[in-house]
Amino acid sequence: MSLDLAPDHIKLAVDLIELLESHQVEPHVAVGALTIVLHDFKEKQNKLEEVDKEK
């Protein structure tokens, strides 16, 4: 499967992996940072869903 045809979340994941690897980020540092990012974006998603429900 060509990456061009992949869903956006797959493309972003590949880009993030390449970025972290090219900067030689240690796995434990990457996991810690990505855990924070995941929590942040889940909170943002929850807030957007709440706004959508109010409409």
Side-chain angles (χ1 to χ4, degrees), residues 3-4 6-23 34:
L3 191 57
D4 293 335
D8 288 342
H9 67 283
I10 299 296
K11 292 177 189 176
L12 179 58
V14 170
D15 287 344
L16 291 171
I17 290 167
E18 289 177 349
L19 177 70
L20 293 169
E21 288 180 348
S22 70
H23 285 84
L34 290 168

Side-chain angles (χ1 to χ4, degrees), residues 5-53:
L5 302 175
D8 288 342
H9 67 283
I10 299 296
K11 292 177 189 176
L12 179 58
V14 170
D15 287 344
L16 291 171
I17 290 167
E18 289 177 349
L19 177 70
L20 293 169
E21 288 180 348
S22 70
H23 285 84
Q24 300 177 341
V25 176
E26 293 291 328
H28 72 280
V29 173
V31 169
L34 290 168
T35 300
I36 294 167
V37 171
L38 180 60
H39 180 267
D40 183 66
F41 273 85
K42 281 185 175 183
E43 288 294 319
K44 289 176 183 175
Q45 183 178 18
N46 288 340
K47 288 178 183 176
L48 288 173
E49 288 172 356
E50 289 175 15
V51 169
D52 287 343
K53 286 180 184 178

